[in-house]
Amino acid sequence: MGFVKISSRKFKIPGYLIGPILILVIAMVYGTLGSEYFLQPSSIVFNTGRYIEIGLLALALTFVIINGDIDLSVASTLAASAGVLAKLYSGGIPIFWCSIAAILTGTLLGLFNGLVIIKFGLPSLVVTLATLALYRGLTQVMLGDGVVANYPDNFVGFDQRLVIGGNPGLPAPLALFFVAAFIFYYVLHRSNYGLKNLMTGSNNSASNFSGINVNRVRLIAFAVSGMVSGICAVLITSRLGSTISNVGLGLELLAITVVVLGGTDIFGGRGSISGTVISLFAIMAVRESLVIQDVNGQVQDAVIGLLLILTVLVPRIRSYRVEKKNRQKRFNEARAMSASH
Amino acid sequence: MVKNHKALIPVLGLSLILTGVSASFVATSATAATKYKVTYIPKNLGNPYFDAIVSGFNKAAKKLNMTVKVVAPAQAGATDQIPFIEAAIQQRVDAIAISPNDANALCPTLKRAMKAGIVVLTVNGDTAKKCRQASITPVDFSVLGQYLVDQTASVIDGKGDWAFLSATSTAPDQNSWLEGAKKYIDGGGQPGLTLVDTVYGDDAPEKSATEAQALLAKYPNLKAINAPTTVGIAAAAQVLSTSPLKGKVQVTGLGTPNQMRQYVKDGTVKAFSLWDPGLEGEIAANLIVAIKAKNMKPKKGLSFKIKGVGPGKWKMGKKAVIIAGPPQEFNAQNIDDFNF
């Protein structure tokens, strides 16, 4: 029996992936059955671009959350970076340098988050809740109620470009996401830094005493989260061809949803890039299968909420049951022992 | 492994529910085999104003062999309508009508829709001109300032002191109307009226009521309060309906029939105005058919007739914008004909 178990374990899908994979499969079936327009190559090309910003933010947030932290300010960091991009571009600076400046801005804002949290020992939830408002406010001050549009044609529409041509081709955003996912996968699961992340998140003080520079690990994650927000600012500006101060409003919640649905523990210490990637595609499939069947926004949000609560609840119920069973067993043993005396 | 199977049960259950829901959706959408498929995307759902546009659409659709689907995002954010435009493109609808939440962010997607041969109209709000074929706007906002002055004159027989109760002091719409009103007065419009004050209720019911009360106390000769904002007019009417000055000081301006009905019925308000959003929907539906069937190319100066809608021809103005008509006045005689 032992042999059978070992060999079957090799092919076993990790428990945290079962939820997202199931959701992905069911949504694909639901969409295909529900609408003849769901599975079109062109729709895959046109629609993925909208989700890639959420996906990239989720990849970066996976690290932050594994550390036991949270970054609620990613969407506001994105907005502030987009604001800098727009402001510089209207000042006549070439779009390439504006984009670099946006990424730098994101990185700096992320570093600021990390430094305040670590230097003053404050909870990341509180600090990034504050910078969520602060960075968005700064964007409003920068842009006012105005709009910056008229970006050059070769900059606009990144999301509609194909890296590999043909039908279906590989859309540029999707290619970028896969490259990013591979890099993040390598760092989390194959590098020293990734190991330090997981250790920091599972036991901060023990990791500290065993020689891991916990604060540096956390600071890097915040800086990367800011940098990715800056990159997403460039992508979203290219996709929309315009900038206003409420750009990306609410994106942080969508990105955190992806991370948590992918099985990363919101209290830190556990998580995976594969979970985040599959979870992104699961959410994409759910949303697209609903919207193609004319389901309104509120209902879509409700379905995602329901799925999220189920995916986090089901493993909990399972472990609760196991624990209860073990407790009962121990109780029975103790009773049997006391009876024999 | 056994444990994992247990975990599947609730998820599978949910999938069954989803399949059931999908089956019911398919059943409803497969019934119609109509000539024109149209998707209308309001700013958001559950807003009576947009419901009125939808009922205008549906009224016209019945005669035009058209199905109108209405889908909307949960929030009115700049990009929240994009997935719904994409879905309409995928479904190869004949036309997309949209009340845009943003003038620029939707542009790339709307352009793609037009490239796919879909007619794109904006209704009650507009994008940049190149992102849609034509636009339908509820009323000519450039003459609304003058209209408000004349409206005030008509409820107090052209004589007396009056005041504006506006929204916020920075509201762009209201400020442009107020400016238009002052220009009209300075140019000799309605000489019997004296505009004594302009106050701002910030579109908050409490603040608007306080400001209305202050006006009544400050100007004993006041004959009318004109509130060109739906919040302000309701607040002012509410103050006067319980005041001894009810009927002696008139409230008018812009409001919706549903919020003002009780004050018209109890005699506080003689008449007020807004526009008829349903008309926008009717015009849009007819315009879609004109473009699709008669190969009409929307541009400035073009005019067309709609049977049973409007007195004469509908004309396209600058940037292919159609104005859905003069403001609609509501009074005790006609208020029950409107529900929004």
Side-chain angles (χ1 to χ4, degrees):
Chain A
M1 193 188 149
F3 281 105
V4 177
K5 213 166 191 180
I6 286 163
S7 64
S8 77
R9 190 149 281 190
K10 265 188 185 167
F11 300 102
K12 198 177 129 186
I13 299 166
Y16 56 86
L17 286 185
I18 290 179
I21 288 178
L22 258 182
I23 293 170
L24 177 62
V25 171
I26 292 166
M28 292 304 281
V29 172
Y30 170 64
T32 314
L33 290 181
S35 168
E36 57 187 306
Y37 305 112
F38 178 66
L39 270 188
Q40 290 178 96
S42 66
S43 63
I44 294 165
V45 175
F46 288 137
N47 293 336
T48 45
R50 273 187 279 123
Y51 293 90
I52 295 314
E53 292 129 19
I54 299 170
L56 291 174
L57 292 176
L59 287 176
L61 275 172
T62 305
F63 277 75
V64 176
I65 294 176
I66 283 177
N67 283 340
D69 288 315
I70 189 80
D71 186 352
L72 293 175
S73 76
V74 284
S76 297
T77 306
L78 182 156
S81 311
V84 167
L85 190 157
K87 219 51 196 161
L88 291 178
Y89 181 70
S90 9
I93 300 199
I95 193 73
F96 175 78
W97 295 110
C98 300
S99 305
I100 298 289
I103 297 169
L104 277 177
T105 306
T107 315
L108 285 176
L109 295 181
L111 265 174
F112 178 77
N113 279 339
L115 285 173
V116 172
I117 291 162
I118 289 156
K119 290 282 169 207
F120 299 98
L122 294 169
S124 54
L125 183 77
V126 177
V127 172
T128 59
L129 186 64
T131 53
L132 174 144
L134 173 68
Y135 297 165
R136 180 70 64 183
L138 285 178
T139 318
Q140 174 72 36
V141 170
M142 266 189 283
L143 296 176
D145 292 329
V147 181
V148 177
N150 298 325
Y151 289 103
D153 282 343
N154 58 7
F155 174 72
V156 176
F158 164 81
D159 60 313
Q160 299 305 320
R161 262 165 236 164
L162 298 176
V163 172
I164 300 166
N167 196 9
L170 180 63
L174 204 54
L176 179 73
F177 178 70
F178 284 140
V179 171
F182 179 78
I183 295 170
F184 277 93
Y185 171 84
Y186 186 84
V187 173
L188 182 63
H189 300 293
R190 294 277 181 275
S191 82
N192 252 335
Y193 175 71
L195 191 62
K196 285 177 185 168
N197 265 286
L198 291 161
M199 289 172 71
T200 301
S202 49
N203 194 333
N204 192 311
S205 44
S207 308
N208 207 7
F209 284 126
S210 49
I212 296 174
N213 189 342
V214 172
N215 286 343
R216 221 185 82 190
V217 169
R218 291 169 68 202
L219 185 64
I220 291 173
F222 280 111
V224 170
S225 165
M227 185 181 76
V228 170
S229 302
I231 293 171
C232 288
V234 178
L235 296 182
I236 207 166
T237 309
S238 163
R239 178 161 72 85
L240 301 176
S242 62
T243 314
I244 50 169
S245 65
N246 70 3
V247 58
L249 197 66
L251 227 52
E252 68 281 339
L253 295 182
L254 301 178
I256 293 170
T257 304
V258 169
V259 177
V260 178
L261 189 72
T264 296
D265 192 336
I266 195 76
F267 298 114
R270 258 186 322 151
S272 72
I273 293 300
S274 54
T276 299
V277 171
I278 291 176
S279 162
L280 175 74
F281 285 101
I283 284 184
M284 187 160 31
V286 170
R287 289 240 176 231
E288 288 303 307
S289 67
L290 291 172
V291 75
I292 198 70
Q293 295 177 66
D294 305 314
V295 177
N296 283 306
Q298 274 100 337
V299 181
Q300 289 180 29
D301 290 354
V303 171
I304 298 278
L306 186 65
L307 291 175
L308 180 62
I309 214 158
L310 279 179
T311 10
V312 295
L313 203 63
V314 169
R316 259 301 140 88
I317 293 171
R318 223 169 63 201
S319 61
Y320 173 77
R321 273 205 193 142
V322 171
E323 200 182 302
K324 205 171 148 192
K325 213 194 262 167
N326 288 344
R327 221 184 303 146
Q328 186 68 41
K329 210 167 125 194
R330 280 201 300 274
F331 177 74
N332 288 344
E333 279 169 7
R335 202 165 56 177
M337 258 176 32
S338 69
S340 71
H341 277 290
Chain B
M1 287 310 277
V2 175
K3 280 182 213 162
N4 287 334
H5 284 306
K6 263 189 195 160
L8 299 189
I9 293 167
V11 186
L12 280 175
L14 185 76
S15 77
L16 282 177
I17 298 169
L18 275 178
T19 321
V21 173
S22 92
S24 64
F25 272 108
V26 174
T28 50
S29 64
T31 47
T34 45
K35 206 165 166 200
Y36 303 104
K37 282 199 294 179
V38 177
T39 296
Y40 171 55
I41 309 171
K43 283 181 198 281
N44 51 9
L45 279 188
N47 183 334
Y49 185 87
F50 292 106
D51 292 345
I53 296 182
V54 170
S55 58
F57 251 115
N58 287 331
K59 196 171 145 198
K62 266 187 214 143
K63 300 175 204 156
L64 297 168
N65 197 17
M66 176 188 280
T67 48
V68 181
K69 266 190 306 208
V70 182
V71 284
Q75 289 97 23
T79 56
D80 290 330
Q81 290 172 317
I82 292 178
F84 296 93
I85 307 172
E86 302 266 17
I89 299 173
Q90 274 171 255
Q91 294 163 345
R92 303 192 187 99
V93 296
D94 294 296
I96 297 171
I98 184 166
S99 300
N101 282 325
D102 188 276
N104 297 283
L106 306 176
C107 260
T109 322
L110 289 177
K111 278 186 192 162
R112 202 157 58 245
M114 288 195 285
K115 227 167 135 191
I118 296 170
V119 174
V120 176
L121 303 181
T122 53
V123 177
N124 202 81
D126 203 359
T127 60
K129 181 177 174 277
K130 54 181 192 260
C131 316
R132 83 317 189 251
Q133 273 142 296
S135 181
I136 294 135
T137 194
V139 73
D140 185 354
F141 290 109
S142 68
V143 298
L144 206 60
Q146 178 181 341
Y147 178 87
L148 292 171
V149 180
D150 290 340
Q151 178 191 44
T152 311
S154 82
V155 294
I156 56 172
D157 300 324
K159 247 188 357 254
D161 292 357
W162 66 292
F164 268 127
L165 168 61
S166 188
T168 63
S169 60
T170 54
D173 288 347
Q174 272 82 6
N175 279 354
S176 77
W177 305 336
L178 258 48
E179 205 179 304
K182 278 178 191 136
K183 236 182 236 162
Y184 177 57
I185 295 167
D186 291 345
Q190 298 294 353
L193 298 185
T194 316
L195 177 62
V196 291
D197 207 346
T198 298
V199 294
Y200 300 94
D202 293 349
D203 264 353
E206 291 289 317
K207 175 104 195 292
S208 302
T210 312
E211 290 293 338
Q213 269 157 349
L215 282 176
L216 296 177
K218 202 165 156 194
Y219 303 100
N221 291 327
L222 197 72
K223 290 278 175 294
I225 296 174
N226 188 313
T229 147
T230 55
V231 179
I233 191 174
Q238 201 243 324
V239 166
L240 271 159
S241 71
T242 55
S243 152
L245 293 168
K246 172 176 161 180
K248 293 186 187 113
V249 176
Q250 280 298 319
V251 174
T252 189
L254 304 177
T256 68
N258 285 354
Q259 62 174 168
M260 296 300 288
R261 198 175 317 271
Q262 62 179 111
Y263 305 117
V264 171
K265 301 240 155 141
D266 76 5
T268 313
V269 173
K270 257 194 225 167
F272 66 98
S273 304
L274 201 65
W275 32 87
D276 178 6
L279 207 51
E280 294 179 78
E282 279 189 76
I283 295 171
N286 282 284
L287 183 59
I288 287 165
V289 174
I291 294 171
K292 271 275 159 192
K294 295 171 195 154
N295 207 15
M296 202 174 90
K297 298 262 182 292
K299 59 171 189 284
K300 187 190 165 185
L302 198 78
S303 66
F304 64 105
K305 238 179 121 74
I306 303 172
K307 224 174 159 183
V309 184
K313 284 186 168 179
W314 295 97
K315 251 199 193 134
M316 275 187 196
K318 258 196 292 189
K319 297 180 178 174
V321 173
I322 298 175
I323 294 164
Q328 170 75 47
E329 188 185 89
F330 307 105
N331 50 42
Q333 277 81 50
N334 72 358
I335 192 158
D336 283 335
D337 301 340
F338 298 91
N339 182 22
F340 67 93

